[in-house]
Structure formats: structure tokens, C-alpha cells
Amino acid sequence: MKSVSYLMVRLGIGISMLGHGLVRIPKLKTFSEGMINNFQDSLLPEFLLIPFSFALPFIEFLLGVLLIIGWQTKRAAIGGGCIMLALIAGTSLIENWSALPSQMIHLLFFVLVYEFNEANTFALDRTKE
């Protein structure tokens, strides 16, 4: 059943995003400092990194919740894809090639959630099949 497969994909990326946010929010300052430290020699200025590093865990958490409950699914997929593209760009700037496969896989899952939304029947914003 296509809708069950879609549900698994949506829940998988949703749980991943929720988990990323959940573990980072309690240690937000440490996470932000680590991210800023990783990018200290990059082209990205600190005045952009600081707000991004503080906002990212909350965005990940929110995207995870939206995907798990299936509300605003297409918008969550677009938002998640945009976050992944930003992370891929940043990762490339610091040449952290080992992080790219995971980010590309996350991006692919966001694309799948968006592209096959017609199968989104087990959701608050379910589509009609």
C-alpha cells in the first residue's frame, strides 16, 4: 500500500529531525559555540552563524513535529529541504565531506515527502486518494 510506505518515509525523516532538535535544545549554547568554532575559518561571518546556530535546533524540532503528526506536510518538506541545502552549503565551505552523505540523504527524504504527497493519507492534512 503506497500510503503506508509514504507514512514510513514521513515518520522516518520526522523522527530524525525531532531527535536532532531534542538533543540540541537542552545544550543550545554548547551546540552554538561548537558550530561557530567549526566555521571560524570559513567564509561565513559570525553574525550569520550565531542566529542560525541558535535557531537550527528549534527549526529541526518543529519540522519533526509537523512531519510526525502530518500537518503542513508539504511546507515542512520544503522547509526541511531548504535547511538541508543551507547545511550542505556550509558543510562544503568547511570541507566536512564526511557529513555530506547524511545531509544528502535527509534532503532526498524531504524531496520524497514533497513529491509523493498524494499518498499522505495517514496525516492531519491528508490528501484524498
Side-chain angles (χ1 to χ4, degrees):
M1 183 182 248
K2 190 165 60 166
S3 57
V4 173
S5 299
Y6 182 89
L7 175 65
M8 288 185 202
V9 168
R10 195 189 80 220
L11 289 177
I13 191 66
I15 292 168
S16 177
M17 295 307 288
L18 180 75
H20 276 81
L22 273 178
V23 299
R24 291 173 173 166
I25 289 171
K27 55 182 181 183
L28 192 55
K29 188 172 193 252
T30 303
F31 172 74
S32 176
E33 289 169 351
M35 188 174 220
I36 291 164
N37 186 49
N38 286 338
F39 283 87
Q40 67 185 2
D41 295 328
S42 75
L43 299 172
L44 294 173
E46 196 171 296
F47 76 87
L48 291 176
L49 287 170
I50 292 171
F52 184 81
S53 66
F54 275 101
L56 181 60
F58 293 100
I59 294 168
E60 291 169 329
F61 178 83
L62 177 63
L63 289 170
V65 168
L66 291 174
L67 290 165
I68 289 168
I69 65 173
W71 188 61
Q72 300 294 319
T73 307
K74 287 182 88 169
R75 288 184 176 147
I78 292 169
C82 290
I83 288 295
M84 285 303 120
L85 292 171
L87 292 173
I88 289 167
T91 298
S92 296
L93 286 175
I94 61 171
E95 299 181 81
N96 183 2
W97 309 123
S98 63
L100 276 176
S102 173
Q103 293 168 341
M104 293 295 294
I105 290 168
H106 277 76
L107 177 61
L108 174 62
F109 277 97
F110 283 119
V111 169
L112 292 173
V113 167
Y114 181 85
E115 191 63 30
F116 297 102
N117 191 268
E118 72 276 355
N120 194 25
T121 55
F122 299 112
L124 292 178
D125 63 358
R126 69 181 167 267
T127 57
K128 305 290 184 231
E129 218 176 69

